[in-house]
Amino acid sequence: MKPKIKDVAKQAGVSTTTVSRVLNGEKYVKDDLKAKVQRVIDELGYSPSHIARSLVRQKTNLIGIIVPDLTSSFYATILSSVEQTASQAGYFLLVCDIHEDTGKELKYLNIFKEMRVEGIVIMHEKLDDEIRAFLDKLDIPVIFSSVRPADQKFMSVIIDDYSAAYDATCYLIGLGHERIAFIGGDMRDVTSGQSRYAGYRKALEDNNIPIEDDYIRFGDYKPQSGYERMKELLASRVRPTAVFAVSDDMAAGAMNCINDHLLSVPDDISVIGFDGSQLTELVRPRLSSMEQPIEEMGKVTVLSLIDFMTQQQTGFKKDLILKHRLVVRDSCRPVVKQQET
Amino acid sequence: MKPKIKDVAKQAGVSTTTVSRVLNGEKYVKDDLKAKVQRVIDELGYSPSHIARSLVRQKTNLIGIIVPDLTSSFYATILSSVEQTASQAGYFLLVCDIHEDTGKELKYLNIFKEMRVEGIVIMHEKLDDEIRAFLDKLDIPVIFSSVRPADQKFMSVIIDDYSAAYDATCYLIGLGHERIAFIGGDMRDVTSGQSRYAGYRKALEDNNIPIEDDYIRFGDYKPQSGYERMKELLASRVRPTAVFAVSDDMAAGAMNCINDHLLSVPDDISVIGFDGSQLTELVRPRLSSMEQPIEEMGKVTVLSLIDFMTQQQTGFKKDLILKHRLVVRDSCRPVVKQQET
DNA sequence: CTGAAAGCGCTAACAG
DNA sequence: CTGTTAGCGCTTTCAG
């Protein structure tokens, strides 16, 4: 089998303690001994067992992460940034892609616990009671990234989704639009569902634009749903002149739908997305979007989590609000006031 | 601190052995004892330490995976499928995103070894000598996914990239195209670089179409490079009538470039991509592409790896070749023979 | 059916 | 500077 520290010790004619010391780069080992031990280690191809170490050191250097859907570039990009930051800090990532399966989430949370991960990041917020209960009595630091569950108990790294949606809508209003349709997300999501919807409504209200229920639809953040909701929107008695979709994927779907109906973006209808994904530069016209600082979000998530893990300060937990930013590209244009009442 | 098996045993008035037995669902425990132990476990919120278990059982249930770039939807999608399959089989994933950093790869390979992962999947093939040497003397099963390093020593799950590229090119030829440009990948990649390039050349040769060096460019699989290589291609003395890009991302970039030059896809230039990513349905016109069975690839990768891990049959290692498939969408059209010599 | 005892591979006092 | 001695938390013979 694999060589163990004992084998190295015997082979080098020293005690396991000494081997352990050179392994961990401690001083107080004579240079010649150190060299000899190192040579034996290389010869044997010895590699210390992280497992045994974890057991005695009570430290695994593991972080567990729960992603809703790796197939989505938004989550994949955060994950990438999270991995980057974690590995730089000497932590390793145990990844679980739940694919909307709550059962799998609970199972993994349990596994994370058994694995003695030192921290957990969660990227979705549809917490059912069972999971909430589990999290409540869990003594491992948990941080939410890009979402914020209703409970105040957890730390979150997010943008101000309400303001971001408000700002996006105001941008459209500033361009002269009044018939502004909204393609929202899942209303069970407080962050990306409810908050963005509320921001949209508030913007209209503040500008004295009546809210037209017919212009409001909800999708699942994916392109296909954007396409289909847009199709419904196009069937409205009076067509909207602008659409705000709360994900770039849905916005892209909506754009395609508009095109397939022989209408033009932005000449006939302006479209604005949300997220600031790579897609914005790939579609034509390029998609204006309310950008989330995705990379930074991943980075801040891990850094805060590690902070939380090491400081042991179970009290003080605060949300971290990152800044959103409107990136104007080519998919929106001032409304042509043709049919002013 | 966290309760341990000893605490449960004491609390329930039994030995740790008994607790261990109910933990592992063994029979030979009286029902009343089993019930009592279970109750104590719940009360204490006891969760067995996977670490300690791994140490004694010599089994970690861990699989390490090395991804070149999670930001790419191709890899993210495979990863998703890999995770799905692994978790169903009771394995957990330790993920490393190397971001083209060979140093990080070696570091992670070492960590995987220390972690005693039971298997490793690698999704890129730029193996430098150091990594190759490391892999050679590693006694953990390794499988490559979507790529195949030059060495015969490793198992790979791939498509036949040569034939796929050949077929894609023949499709264009079948449409009457003769001025077919090629936007390749990294020629250091044997699978997606060299093989696809060779397939392209062979298809032209077999059809007696002279190979025009001016029509051959190489990018890095990303949209931007597709855009830029296309720009060069458009500057050719005689414009190509079709372009074969070896990634959908580059194909999409090329399409945008063509559009930005006020030319039309497919009226002026046909474009075919490679991979079969979600992007193909998102761009307009929808992109015809040589599709890789991405989901299946992830699944087969894990299943074969586990097979390899458990069978311990170090001999028989064979590549698994999955089938590619041309998916025709709207980005190609028969050439208009206007300037026949 | 149940428990005592011996490790899994390593580190951490504590002596020398 | 170096080695001895206990464990880390669990499973697993081997008796009873």
Side-chain angles (χ1 to χ4, degrees), chain A residues 110-221:
Chain A
N110 264 302
I111 286 163
F112 285 169
K113 191 177 173 192
E114 295 188 356
M115 289 269 199
R116 304 296 190 252
V117 302
E118 298 179 37
I120 295 177
V121 1
I122 300 182
M123 300 220 262
H124 81 122
E125 55 188 2
K126 290 199 199 73
L127 306 181
D128 65 25
D129 293 340
E130 217 174 348
I131 291 179
R132 203 181 301 272
F134 183 90
L135 254 23
D136 275 348
K137 63 165 77 102
L138 186 64
D139 53 350
I140 299 173
V142 173
I143 192 167
F144 285 80
S145 190
S146 83
V147 293
R148 185 182 176 293
D151 314 51
Q152 303 286 347
K153 303 172 198 167
F154 304 105
M155 229 188 318
S156 273
V157 177
I158 41 170
I159 58 165
D160 182 343
D161 286 87
Y162 174 83
S163 299
Y166 183 91
D167 294 347
T169 310
C170 284
Y171 168 65
L172 258 15
I173 295 172
L175 254 25
H177 293 280
E178 301 198 335
R179 298 204 301 278
I180 302 175
F182 177 77
I183 302 182
D186 190 327
M187 281 303 273
R188 288 171 301 176
D189 296 339
V190 349
T191 313
S192 41
Q194 297 166 25
S195 299
R196 293 182 196 168
Y197 177 50
Y200 160 78
R201 290 188 71 103
K202 178 69 170 157
L204 294 188
E205 276 170 23
D206 284 359
N207 288 276
N208 298 311
I209 298 175
I211 290 168
E212 183 71 64
D213 281 347
D214 217 34
Y215 285 169
I216 297 172
R217 309 279 153 158
F218 296 94
D220 64 1
Y221 309 105

Side-chain angles (χ1 to χ4, degrees), chain B residues 4-5 17 20 24 46 48-49 52-53:
Chain B
K4 11 179 128 185
I5 199 172
T17 311
S20 171
N24 296 291
Y46 169 75
S49 159
R53 275 184 165 169

